[in-house]
Amino acid sequence: MKKENTITNHKTFIILLLFLLLLASILLSILCGSVSLHLHDILEVLIGNDTSSTAYLLITTVRIPRMCGGVLSGIGLSVSGTILQGVMNNSLASPNTIGVNSGAGFAVMLAMLLFPGYTSVIPLFAFLGALCTTLLIFLLAYMADSSRITIVLAGITVSSFLSAGINTIKLLDTDITVNLTSFMIGSLSGLTLSRLVLPGFCILAAFVLACFLGRFLNVLELGDDIARSLGLRVGLTRFLLLVISSVLAGCVVSFAGMLGFIGLIVPHICRQLFGNDARFLLPCSALLGSSFVLLCDLLGRVLFSPFELPVGILMSFIGGPFFLYLLLRRKGGRRVHA
């Protein structure tokens, strides 16, 4: 009993630290950049004094939308990665590594081609692209041997086809290539609050639903046979969780582009802190993921100021070596035939 209380207190303390880290990241994201601001500038914005000042316009039209985009991106991709790793029973699964982001990206490009000027359809297309890609990869792995490596290889294969589709659309409509580099890399620059309303609502709704389904995700990770014996409708639960994961990843791609590796790195760190209980993993992944995106975006703004490094580049620099580390650790540093 005493040991259980100690573990609970430890987890509560870590959750509090993650929450404080997020608050600090939000504050730094608003204050720091090519133009530094002060705390009294934020207070002036809250009070509403001098709405024509440079600081007021910078905070309300640039820093706050960017901060909100970073928080939503962190929640969406980290929680999506946590769900995918649980549903597919694969610690290497994430929206980036299995091609979910590529599916959403291809669908967004397709929406731009078919419905130019109708930005309202982009989140819907991004969700459908992410969902179809997730289901396709899951089906391919199921038809093969369902091993963890098979899922990753299926994702790589599907991603290559989707990349070819994206390049084809670029050739068909050269107007789409405007700002395409930022979209492919992943960036939070140029966001507005109006652009974040619909995807933000969908991300938060999907996150809340995922938290309610956390205990079902725990049962699903025990294996299909055990889950069925406990009365869980495995097929329906897995499909519902995949839909939620696709909503989360697809909506992020619709406004932030193809950010990578958040859904791989953050769930692993949280598992080291809290174990495999999804009831803790999902909200804590959201907290840590939001802080991670905000801090990476902040570094991209201040390292080479006044020039800006897109947040997706920093994440790739961090995520690539982390992915290799996971592969080497799983194989014990030796090559093993899959």
Side-chain angles (χ1 to χ4, degrees), residues 1-6:
M1 187 69 178
K2 184 177 180 181
K3 184 178 180 180
E4 291 180 357
N5 291 334
T6 302

Side-chain angles (χ1 to χ4, degrees), residues 172-231:
L172 293 175
D173 190 346
T174 55
D175 293 337
I176 295 179
T177 59
V178 178
N179 296 325
L180 182 63
T181 301
S182 296
F183 176 80
M184 297 298 294
I185 295 174
S187 174
L188 299 176
S189 62
L191 290 178
T192 60
L193 289 177
S194 61
R195 189 179 170 190
L196 293 173
V197 171
L198 179 58
F201 174 80
C202 294
I203 288 171
L204 293 178
F207 168 61
V208 172
L209 183 57
C211 289
F212 278 112
L213 295 177
R215 62 189 184 94
F216 297 112
L217 183 59
N218 286 337
V219 176
L220 200 61
E221 290 182 348
L222 297 175
D224 289 0
D225 293 335
I226 297 177
R228 289 192 183 95
S229 67
L230 294 174

Side-chain angles (χ1 to χ4, degrees), residues 6 14 26 36 41 54 80 119 123 132 138 174 178 195-196 215 232 236 278 290-291 297 320 330:
T6 302
I14 295 178
I26 290 173
S36 297
D41 293 320
T54 301
S80 177
T119 57
C132 292
F138 191 80
T174 55
V178 178
R195 189 179 170 190
L196 293 173
R215 62 189 184 94
L232 183 68
L236 179 61
S290 298
S291 300
D297 182 55
R330 291 176 57 79

